Each structure stands twice: as C-alpha cells, then as structure tokens.
Amino acid sequence: MHPKRAAGLIALAPSVRGGASEAPEVAERVVDDIARQDWPDRIVGFYAPEWSEDPLRRDRITRYIRTIATPRQARRLLALSLSSDISDVLPHVQARTLVVWPRDCSLLPEEGARDFAEMIPGAAYREVPGAAVFTYAFEIDILADLIEEFVTGTAPAPLTNRVLATVLFTDLISSTERATE
C-alpha cells in the first residue's frame, strides 16, 4: 500500500487463503500435533520432509520451532493462519514481488502460490527444488541466488569446477639448439 516503505516483497511458499481451505487434512494433523506432549517432533515431517530423516537437521529444526513459539502460541498462530484470506489485499500490493515455491511440495497445493503471484501485479513466480514449506529448510544456496537476482537484477555467476591452466613455450634465438648441445 505504501511502495516507498518497501523495496520489494519475497514470499516463500505463500497461500492466498489459509491452509485449512486448501489442505484441511494437513491442518487437522498439525492442530492435533500441537496438542501432543512431544510437539513439534511430528510436524517436522510435514514442513521439512527432507530434514525429517536426518537426526542432526531434525534436532536443529525442532529446537528452532520450540524457541519461536510455545504450543499455545503455535495454536493461536495456526488458527489465524488457517482462517486468513488475503485475496482482497494482494491486488493492491505495489512493491516488486517474488513468489518462491518448492517444486516437490506435497503438503499444500501449488495453486495457492500461483494464485498469490497472479493476484499481485507484475509478481514473478519461481520454483525451486525441494519439498520444504518451512523457510528454514529451503536449499539455502539456491534461495540466496534467487534473492540476489531479485534484489540486484542480475543473476549471480554460476559456480564451476573448471580451472584455467596456461602453458607457455618460448624459444629465444636458438635457445632450444643451445640447450640441446
């Protein structure tokens, strides 16, 4: 609404309408999990499936989730998230916008993110590999490159394994013959 206050908007795995309307079975599982004693252990598999099988990453993301919200706060945030509908606001967004969607996500339908991008005038929609919808579990190098390109307008130079090797051969006035002698 105030484009001078924001240089741009980057939305990671967004949804126009709360997840309850787009994936009610997931919403029910998450609500049930929040009520459990071992919260948030089970939801890691929903939000970051690639990380759920790696004990180190699973522990890291579980600890992170526990530090950002108590189960009570998480229930309130989830209820707010699941009941939200921002479709009337998105057409008024005037900032440059990048919408990023994890290509392999099965948790939520892709249409929610596509609708999000289509409702914002001039928004760019990009897919990245992976299934995580939790920002913390995105492939950081790919995400950083997308953000750099969005902010600067230029794609970063690709990394390469190639090495430039130079061989220089010179023959100074009969030096080869003299060395042979």
Side-chain angles (χ1 to χ4, degrees):
M1 302 294 282
H2 304 281
K4 291 184 180 180
R5 294 184 187 173
L9 168 66
I10 299 173
L12 305 174
S15 177
V16 175
R17 288 160 208 86
S21 63
E22 294 180 5
E25 68 286 349
V26 172
E28 287 177 32
R29 286 189 296 187
V30 173
V31 169
D32 289 345
D33 186 60
I34 290 174
R36 292 172 48 97
Q37 185 68 25
D38 61 350
W39 178 85
D41 294 338
R42 289 182 26 196
I43 65 171
V44 171
F46 298 144
Y47 289 108
E50 294 102 339
W51 285 35
S52 64
E53 299 303 318
D54 180 342
L56 182 62
R57 285 180 159 183
R58 182 180 186 84
D59 179 60
R60 189 170 26 168
I61 201 167
T62 300
R63 284 186 291 122
Y64 176 73
I65 292 170
R66 285 183 181 139
T67 62
I68 61 174
T70 66
R72 182 177 176 188
Q73 291 170 322
R75 263 189 234 102
R76 288 190 353 227
L77 289 170
L78 182 63
L80 178 65
S81 158
L82 296 176
S83 63
S84 67
D85 182 347
I86 58 173
S87 58
D88 57 335
V89 176
L90 293 177
H92 300 288
V93 173
Q94 298 176 34
R96 291 177 345 123
T97 302
L98 172 64
V99 176
V100 181
W101 180 255
R103 179 179 308 131
D104 306 317
C105 177
S106 61
L107 180 67
L108 296 171
E110 178 186 356
E111 292 78 35
R114 286 198 181 275
D115 290 346
F116 189 98
E118 289 171 5
M119 291 180 152
I120 299 175
Y125 178 86
R126 299 286 298 270
E127 290 186 357
V128 295
V133 294
F134 192 58
T135 308
Y136 191 76
F138 270 61
E139 181 62 44
I140 194 65
D141 292 331
I142 294 170
L143 186 58
D145 288 348
L146 275 178
I147 292 171
E148 180 180 340
E149 182 178 352
F150 178 71
V151 170
T152 66
T154 305
L159 297 176
T160 179
N161 296 10
R162 295 171 48 187
V163 176
L164 176 61
T166 305
V167 176
L168 176 65
F169 177 79
T170 59
D171 187 10
L172 301 174
I173 310 173
S174 302
S175 63
T176 305
E177 290 89 15
R178 186 169 179 159
T180 305
E181 289 175 8

